[in-house]
Amino acid sequence: MSTLLDILLSGLFHAGVLFLVAGGLQLVFGVQKIVNLACGSFYALGAYVGVTAVTWAMTQGVPPYYLLPLLLGSGLVLGLVGPPIERVLRFVYKREEGFQLLLTFALLLLSQDIYRFIWGATPKTLGNMSLVYGQTVLGPTSIPTYKILVIAASIAIALALGWLLQKTKFGRIVRATAENRNMSEAVGISTGRVTVIVFTLGTILGTVGGALVVPTAAASLDMMVELVVEAFAVVVIGGLGSMRGALVGALVVGLIRSLAVFFYAELEILSIYLIVIAVLIFRPTGLFGKPIE
């Protein structure tokens, strides 16, 4: 029972962080029809800046229990990088998908070199900061309370995002723009403004996800590529453009990864690929995706 609970909680923590990045990827694709490989660079940026912000705050005498607000705040502020990058991508909105993928992958590689120049090639960590809130005992097992807080924060963000897209005027505008951009422009919607806001929101989801993960994992140059692989697995499983699919796909990938790490770590990536292959064979559009016309 203890082992099963450990696997479940570990899987939920990873799924929570993964959903934030994959959710941003889905949101951007839904409106801009671009598969943004640069989402991994946002994730790594959030991680590096999160480490820097917390380390600086601790040297200034800020109490350690401000860890979570500091990480969330640094991730939110990094949304400022969204508009300039969206401005670059604006030139390829109507180009073929292969060109879009190459450009976003080029941005990923470029950001990797920039991060190496700023933070160096050595991974950055926060030591045992994940234990600053203590341990939470759940039956026969215990888990760092920080992980529980991250799971709760991810659920809250998912609910807020669902409310924003389904229950607000802005959400209706976003869905209309995603469904028919030309018709939306014809009725007076500023689709350019919507695109900037949506891309910025997607950027924030990625940077917040990266910031939240650093107390439990090192910020490194490799993390952005590893994240892109997992995020695309989530997209394939859940369905391209579906936020509900991003949530379910993140849960599947997170739990499968946790099971593989516990029983045989060498199967961690292979197990995810096997699920992706099965979905591509039996349901190419994913669990909740729709065929792209």
Side-chain angles (χ1 to χ4, degrees):
M1 182 63 182
S2 174
T3 298
L4 181 61
L5 194 56
D6 285 338
I7 293 172
L8 177 62
L9 292 172
S10 178
L12 288 176
F13 172 76
H14 188 69
V17 173
L18 189 55
F19 165 74
L20 296 178
V21 183
L25 180 65
Q26 296 280 50
L27 192 61
V28 169
F29 176 82
V31 174
Q32 295 159 268
K33 300 299 182 287
I34 285 183
V35 180
N36 183 22
L37 290 174
C39 64
S41 64
F42 303 148
Y43 177 74
L45 179 62
Y48 275 112
V49 173
V51 169
T52 302
V54 171
T55 301
W56 177 83
M58 296 303 106
T59 61
Q60 300 302 309
V62 176
Y65 53 78
Y66 281 106
L67 172 68
L68 188 59
L70 282 169
L71 293 174
L72 286 172
S74 61
L76 289 171
V77 170
L78 288 172
L80 294 173
V81 306
I85 295 177
E86 189 277 333
R87 189 78 179 181
V88 174
L89 295 178
R90 192 174 298 180
F91 296 103
V92 299
Y93 284 166
K94 296 183 180 180
R95 300 288 293 270
E96 60 273 13
E97 290 82 357
F99 188 87
Q100 295 172 354
L101 286 172
L102 286 174
L103 178 59
T104 56
F105 187 63
L107 290 174
L108 178 74
L109 297 178
L110 178 63
S111 64
Q112 195 172 47
D113 285 337
I114 292 173
Y115 301 163
R116 181 182 288 109
F117 177 77
I118 297 174
W119 286 285
T122 305
K124 306 296 181 183
T125 69
L126 288 175
N128 60 352
M129 286 291 289
S130 63
L131 299 177
V132 71
Y133 298 113
Q135 298 267 357
T136 297
V137 178
L138 298 172
T141 189
S142 64
I143 182 175
T145 302
Y146 176 79
K147 289 190 174 183
I148 300 293
L149 293 175
V150 170
I151 293 172
S154 298
I155 293 173
I157 292 172
L159 292 174
L161 196 57
W163 173 81
L164 177 67
L165 295 176
Q166 298 295 328
K167 302 296 184 180
T168 66
K169 179 181 178 181
F170 174 74
R172 291 191 291 271
I173 291 173
V174 169
R175 286 185 280 122
T177 304
E179 188 69 26
N180 193 321
R181 192 180 188 92
N182 292 331
M183 183 62 71
S184 298
E185 291 177 346
V187 298
I189 294 175
S190 176
T191 56
R193 183 181 178 186
V194 171
T195 297
V196 172
I197 295 174
V198 166
F199 191 86
T200 301
L201 183 56
T203 302
I204 290 173
L205 289 172
T207 53
V208 167
L212 290 179
V213 82
V214 288
T216 63
S220 68
L221 297 174
D222 295 331
M223 68 188 306
M224 61 183 75
V225 176
E226 294 171 359
L227 188 279
V228 165
V229 172
E230 292 191 354
F232 271 87
V234 169
V235 168
V236 170
I237 293 170
L240 194 58
S242 169
M243 292 301 294
R244 181 170 53 171
L247 180 58
V248 173
L251 286 171
V252 171
V253 172
L255 293 174
I256 291 296
R257 179 180 179 271
S258 182
L259 281 167
V261 168
F262 181 82
F263 288 106
Y264 194 69
E266 284 74 9
L267 292 178
E268 176 186 351
I269 299 299
L270 178 60
S271 60
I272 297 174
Y273 284 157
L274 290 175
I275 298 296
V276 169
I277 291 170
V279 170
L280 289 174
I281 292 174
F282 297 107
R283 192 175 177 85
T285 59
L287 299 177
F288 300 97
K290 297 179 182 179
I292 300 176
E293 299 179 358

